[in-house]
């Protein structure tokens, strides 16, 4: 399973960015291989509008099954939900802490319209 987390770091010890659409990037973690890669999101940070939608479309293209972030706007949420990607809200400080909470089943799935 591919899990995407919002961050500015390419490390599991990196800080979780609480924003979705305007996060500096995304750490894509593969639970099967335990490998990760960083996907830059710089093109959406300065976008006047549509940052969340474009970021969500980029996440869909990775084949991810879930996203962990601080917040996700309603338009991005719709794009992700329509692609059957689960969204979890996390208030931990690091990506690694979010993964631990996900693995422990303590993260709450964000509900919304699809």
């Amino acid at each position: 399973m591919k899990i995407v987390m919002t961050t500015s770091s390419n490390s599991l010890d990196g800080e979780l960015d609480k924003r979705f659409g305007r996060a500096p990037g995304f750490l894509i973690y593969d639970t099967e291989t335990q490998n990760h890669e960083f996907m830059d999101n710089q093109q959406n940070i300065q976008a006047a509008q549509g940052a969340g939608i474009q970021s969500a479309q980029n996440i869909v293209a990775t084949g991810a099954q879930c996203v962990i972030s601080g917040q996700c706007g309603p338009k991005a949420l719709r794009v992700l939900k329509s692609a059957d990607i689960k969204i979890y809200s996390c208030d931990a400080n690091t990506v690694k802490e979010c993964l631990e909470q996900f693995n422990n089943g303590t993260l709450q799935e964000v509900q919304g319209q699809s």
Side-chain angles (χ1 to χ4, degrees):
M1 167 190 288
K2 286 186 181 180
I3 302 171
V4 174
M5 291 157 285
T6 52
T7 186
S8 60
S9 174
N10 64 356
S11 165
L12 292 174
D13 294 318
E15 186 176 334
L16 179 76
D17 195 300
K18 305 300 184 200
R19 305 164 295 172
F20 174 74
R22 296 190 189 280
F26 305 102
L27 189 101
I28 305 165
Y29 181 79
D30 189 321
T31 60
E32 293 175 21
T33 65
Q34 297 184 349
N35 291 326
H36 63 274
E37 63 181 287
F38 182 78
M39 183 171 76
D40 188 76
N41 191 42
Q42 290 297 316
Q43 75 277 6
N44 290 317
I45 289 177
Q46 301 300 325
Q49 58 185 358
I53 293 171
Q54 184 59 48
S55 295
Q57 290 171 337
N58 291 341
I59 296 303
V60 170
T62 69
Q65 286 83 25
C66 86
V67 169
I68 302 173
S69 185
Q71 296 182 352
C72 185
K75 292 178 184 175
L77 187 68
R78 261 183 257 132
V79 171
L80 294 169
K81 289 281 188 182
S82 69
D84 292 324
I85 296 175
K86 294 183 178 187
I87 302 97
Y88 295 90
S89 180
C90 186
D91 60 2
N93 290 323
T94 68
V95 169
K96 187 176 190 175
E97 291 170 337
C98 288
L99 272 176
E100 289 170 359
Q101 289 180 21
F102 177 81
N103 289 331
N104 293 334
T106 58
L107 289 182
Q108 177 105 17
E109 184 177 352
V110 175
Q111 300 301 314
Q113 299 174 342
S114 53

